[in-house]
Amino acid sequence: MKPVLFAVILLGAAPAFAEIHEVRMFSRNERGPMIYEPDFLQIAPGDQVRFIPEQPSHNAATIEGMIPQGATPFKSNINEDFTTTLTVPGTYGIKCSPHFSMGMVMLIEVGKDADITFPDDLPKRALDRFEAIMAENPK
């Protein structure tokens, strides 16, 4: 078998690799204070999300009541570069634990047309930021 044909066969048989999406965490950037950049991701099941602390004192954690049923919650350490794989379709609410009340939140939609429900006890600034994210990313 010719080397080129063999390479084409191997590449064609290779499994599709999940994408890695990077989210940067800032105390302040051009969009304002306490920001995930981007603050909204639409990804495929099995994709990975890497949270990168660009400035100190941030983490990434799921918000109780804002992950799909059957999904595993996560919480990174402060100042930790952290990667997670999201496999369960639905919408994930993410917060920076120390800055949740200041509105440092983001949304990750895994799959398409995922619904979202906001818990009654969300801090006002977090709810305001979520509403702004949804207005910027209509379905």
Side-chain angles (χ1 to χ4, degrees), residues 31-106:
R31 294 188 64 217
M34 304 304 158
I35 295 289
Y36 285 102
E37 187 65 43
D39 59 10
F40 176 81
L41 288 175
Q42 201 288 318
I43 69 174
D47 281 0
Q48 294 182 325
V49 180
R50 178 180 175 209
F51 294 92
I52 304 165
E54 293 291 342
Q55 296 166 339
S57 303
H58 301 295
N59 79 331
T62 52
I63 299 171
E64 187 175 340
M66 289 188 70
I67 63 173
Q69 186 172 355
T72 303
F74 62 83
K75 180 179 180 182
S76 71
N77 294 321
I78 301 295
N79 300 325
E80 176 182 70
D81 189 310
F82 174 76
T83 301
T84 187
T85 303
L86 301 177
T87 59
V88 179
T91 302
Y92 295 71
I94 308 299
K95 68 180 178 182
C96 172
S97 301
H99 303 112
F100 185 36
S101 65
M102 298 174 75
M104 189 166 178
V105 296
M106 72 169 296

